[in-house]
Amino acid sequence: MKNNKKIINAAPVPANGGKNTVASRGAFNPDEYRVVRGGVDNFLLFTILILLAFGLIMVFSASYADARTRYGDSYYFIKRQSIMVIIGLVTMVVASRLRITFYKNAAVLAYGFSAVLLFAVLFAGDTGGGAQRWIELGPLRFQPSEMAKYSLILMLAWYYSKYAEKAFDMRNNKNAYLYGTMIPLVFIGFICVLVMLEKHLSGIIIIGCIGLMVMFVSGIKLKLLGLFAAIGVAGVAAIAIFTDYTKRRIDIWLNPEQFPREGGWQTLQGLRAIGSGGLFGLGLGNSRQKYSYVSQPQNDFIFTITCEELGFIGAAAVIVLFGLLVWRGVVIALRAPDRFSQLVAVGITFKVALQVILNIAVVTNSIPNTGISLPFFSYGGTAMVVQLAEMGTLLAISRHTLEKK
């Protein structure tokens, strides 16, 4: 999978202070390993390109009826999505060629910039669907919470790589507690509070889960992580129960037929689309539900149109492709030569996996509809560009592998 390999370090540092990494299972001896620099992971690259092509096909198939009805142009959505994919691919190529030190140096700045944008949304954001999540600058409309997810991964990875000695000081529990648990939780909680003020429950869940996963992989004590995870779950549950906006979502989820004009219709028609696809589907382009039954089918509910047109086989193909991407991301993380690279790779891979699981859970009505997009498929500019930037970062990490001599 790699070629033109070059040995750049004969004595790598284990990624997790000697714990839970490929380089440190058992008795780690740095003299037995070397860091090798080569090309990007071709398997991951091809998987990304296949997902993008598949996603573009489905965006066009799912959107052309809605685009013609709303804008008089069947190509309205696919033209815009194609432009964002091109921009995203350029971003991915550039990101894949940057050195890991660039990401380390940019982590704090990216986190701070994301926080500023989240603050800006509260005062000058565009409101839609009962939530305030977007910023408009002329023709551009983007969602800062998408950037915040990526920047949080970089920030936590930078923090644990810089303060590893204090965060994992087993001889000083006070230091380990403060630096290993409390300060990272402040980073996570700060972003979650800003996103909560936007009435973005799914964003809180995703950001919180990403943060806890990075903390878990870093090697902090599981008892502490479990305690704070439980507190986080309780907090999200309280928001869902006592906030009118999220409480309404739960009511619609439990009884979609009773709220046809407030989201129940979308859920019911999505389930009908999934059920009518059968094993092989109605054929590409032959969906019936996209004709004003599933509203904006090119967005969060695009998986239902995929099921209707391509059936169980098509849906399984989508899941398998994402499974391959996640598997490759895990392989890259396990081979990463340092703590920062490993944590970034895990964070990005977990983010994709989590969003896929949650999107499918939403469209099958397994969880309340919280507006979670399907990576590489759902129509949306900010998400697409950020996702491809993350893939570029993962490809950059894949250039450096830890191998035995």
Side-chain angles (χ1 to χ4, degrees), residues 274-285:
I274 294 173
S276 64
L279 183 60
F280 297 104
L282 304 179
L284 185 63

Side-chain angles (χ1 to χ4, degrees), residues 192-203:
C192 284
V193 168
L194 293 177
V195 174
M196 179 186 69
L197 295 175
E198 299 176 6
K199 298 181 180 180
H200 193 179
L201 183 60
S202 63

